[in-house]
């Protein structure tokens, strides 16, 4: 797919009026370049990896390590927003971002991303260790170059392969604490890696028209909604046993077992509902002002609504439910690991 160049860092919003209101960029606009929502999840999973290693580390060094990971995540976000400004401008979900909205120039976003990348990696290497720095550098390059510049625009497996970038922070945190990355560190990486496809495909099922308009080959656009629903269920069936696996490797304890087991059952029920529904068969059902994370209809369906329309609406709701719960489930898993590490609760090594 050809990439439309961004002139002077501005991509016109197709729905904007001809007369623009000029506003100078604020510091909040530059902060938004770093994708703070994504950054918060990265910081949380990295902190969990650092503490789950159960290796003493000076609080100041631990804070520096987490800071470097946060800055590295922000650098990746800025580079992504610079390169993706052309397609962001075509999508309802992203057209208000600083670069496509014309608030920040593309070259400013790119410069910010490069500077923050170098700063985060070098500080991590000098202050912590070079294994953690190397993993951080790999994560930034993989997200900004391999995923953003290649996979996202060329293959329906973009989320599957590209998900590695978002999965690596726990291993970086563990390496920062210990200087190495053993099996349990990579088990946390694997959990996030396998969680990513059903999470994002559930989202793509109800905003697939956005991706189609932007020319992004997400699975529903390329293979259709039915195949996407099947893949959501298959990945969910693989994911949940992996989520429970830490109690067999000495990483998780009884609290983690309860959270992963009970939450996993709910996840599978929601994934089955998506599979058995018509999710993705209709255009984006959200009104213009509908929050992306909202999972309940604001008003009851009209009495004269046909059965087919109701089935399509229920399918979209099922996809939104899975998308929203998947975020809660991942947070709960890592919160349980974090709580067990902070409280010093014993871990399990249950026999297989």
């Amino acid at each position: 797919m050809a990439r439309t160049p961004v002139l002077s860092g501005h991509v016109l919003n197709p729905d904007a009026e001809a007369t623009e209101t000029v506003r100078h960029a604020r510091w909040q606009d530059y902060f938004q370049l770093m994708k703070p929502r994504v950054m918060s999840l990265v910081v949380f999973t990295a902190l969990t990896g650092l503490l789950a290693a159960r290796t003493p580390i000076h609080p100041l060094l631990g804070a520096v390590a987490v800071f470097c990971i946060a800055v590295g995540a922000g650098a990746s976000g800025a580079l992504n927003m610079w390169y993706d400004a052309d397609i962001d401008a075509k999508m309802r979900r992203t057209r208000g971002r600083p670069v496509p909205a014309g608030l920040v120039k593309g070259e400013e976003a790119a410069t910010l991303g490069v500077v923050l990348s170098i700063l985060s990696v070098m500080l991590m290497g000098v202050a912590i260790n070079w294994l953690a720095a190397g993993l951080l550098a790999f994560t930034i390059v993989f997200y900004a170059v391999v995923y953003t510049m290649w996979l996202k625009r060329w293959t329906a497996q973009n989320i599957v392969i590209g998900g590695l970038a978002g999965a690596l922070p726990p291993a970086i945190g563990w390496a920062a604490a210990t200087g190495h990355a053993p099996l349990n560190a990579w088990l946390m990486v694997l959990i996030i890696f396998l969680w990513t496809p059903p999470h994002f495909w559930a989202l793509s099922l109800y905003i697939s028209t956005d991706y189609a308009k932007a020319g992004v080959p997400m699975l529903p656009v390329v293979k259709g909604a039915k195949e996407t629903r099947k893949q959501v269920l298959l990945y969910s069936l693989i994911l949940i046993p992996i989520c429970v696996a830490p109690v067999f490797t000495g990483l998780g304890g009884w609290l983690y077992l309860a959270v992963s087991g009970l939450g996993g059952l709910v996840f599978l029920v929601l994934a089955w509902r998506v599979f058995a529904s018509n999710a993705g068969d209709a255009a984006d059902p959200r009104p213009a002002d509908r929050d992306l994370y909202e999972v309940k209809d604001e008003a009851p369906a009209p009495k004269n609504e046909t059965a087919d329309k109701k089935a399509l609406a229920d399918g979209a709701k099922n996809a939104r439910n899975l998308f929203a719960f998947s975020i809660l489930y991942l947070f709960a898993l890592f919160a349980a690991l974090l709580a067990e590490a902070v409280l010093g609760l014993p871990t399990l090594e249950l026999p297989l």
Side-chain angles (χ1 to χ4, degrees):
M1 169 183 167
R3 178 173 178 266
T4 304
V6 182
L7 299 179
S8 300
H10 296 275
V11 178
L12 294 180
N13 184 336
D15 296 329
E17 296 181 359
T19 302
E20 293 187 47
T21 301
V22 178
R23 175 172 79 77
H24 295 291
R26 302 171 299 182
W27 69 265
Q28 293 95 331
D29 298 319
Y30 291 97
F31 182 66
Q32 288 301 317
L33 287 174
M34 297 188 287
K35 297 188 175 182
R37 283 186 177 180
V38 176
M39 187 193 301
S40 63
L41 180 60
V42 167
V43 168
F44 179 64
T45 57
L47 178 63
T48 301
L50 186 145
L51 295 179
R54 304 203 180 199
T55 299
I57 181 173
H58 192 283
L60 178 59
L61 292 179
V64 169
V66 173
F67 172 76
C68 290
I69 295 169
V71 172
S76 300
L79 291 170
N80 173 268
M81 286 207 190
W82 157 66
Y83 194 83
D84 274 355
D86 58 329
I87 61 177
D88 282 349
K90 301 174 183 177
M91 299 175 64
R92 284 170 51 190
R93 185 172 63 93
T94 57
R95 63 191 177 192
R97 287 175 173 176
V99 178
L103 302 174
V104 177
K105 293 182 178 180
E107 53 265 30
E108 291 177 340
T111 300
L112 179 66
V114 171
V115 171
L116 291 182
S117 297
I118 296 173
L119 172 66
S120 62
V121 172
M122 294 305 297
L123 180 59
M124 179 73 89
V126 172
I128 309 301
N129 62 67
W130 288 104
L131 174 59
L135 288 172
L136 179 59
F138 175 82
T139 301
I140 295 171
V141 172
F142 195 86
Y143 183 77
V145 178
V146 178
Y147 170 70
T148 299
M149 298 183 184
W150 176 42
L151 294 172
K152 185 173 182 178
R153 298 167 183 257
W154 289 103
T155 175
Q157 296 300 310
N158 47 20
I159 287 300
V160 178
I161 306 170
L164 178 62
L168 283 170
I172 301 173
W174 196 300
T178 67
H180 62 279
L183 172 64
N184 278 332
W186 294 106
L187 182 54
M188 287 190 287
V189 171
L190 183 60
I191 288 172
I192 302 176
F193 181 76
L194 292 175
W195 167 88
T196 302
H199 167 72
F200 276 104
W201 284 337
L203 167 66
S204 68
L205 279 170
Y206 66 92
I207 64 168
S208 58
T209 52
D210 248 8
Y211 289 117
K213 178 191 283 189
V216 179
M218 291 295 288
L219 192 62
V221 177
V222 177
K223 298 292 186 180
K226 183 177 181 180
E227 177 63 22
T228 303
R229 295 193 296 266
K230 184 177 77 172
Q231 291 298 319
V232 165
L233 180 60
L234 291 176
Y235 269 88
S236 299
L237 290 170
I238 298 171
L239 168 66
I240 301 309
I242 297 299
C243 288
V244 179
V247 300
F248 298 94
T249 65
L251 176 61
W254 288 110
L255 174 62
Y256 181 84
L257 176 60
V259 170
S260 61
L262 295 176
L265 289 176
V266 176
F267 197 108
L268 289 177
V269 169
L270 294 176
W272 174 260
R273 287 181 178 176
V274 170
F275 172 73
S277 73
N278 293 325
D281 287 344
D284 188 343
R286 297 171 297 149
D289 59 350
R290 178 64 61 88
D291 183 6
L292 180 66
Y293 298 94
E294 190 173 348
V295 298
K296 292 183 179 179
D297 294 325
E298 297 177 354
K303 293 182 179 180
N304 61 347
E305 185 180 54
T306 65
D308 287 343
K309 287 184 177 179
K310 186 177 186 304
L312 290 172
D314 288 344
K317 184 177 177 180
N318 287 330
R320 292 197 301 268
N321 285 341
L322 177 59
F323 174 71
F325 181 78
S326 67
I327 299 173
L328 175 63
Y329 184 54
L330 185 68
F331 173 81
L333 291 177
F334 280 79
L337 290 176
L338 184 62
E340 289 176 341
V342 171
L343 297 175
L345 300 180
T347 60
L348 299 172
E349 290 189 54
L350 299 178
L352 293 173

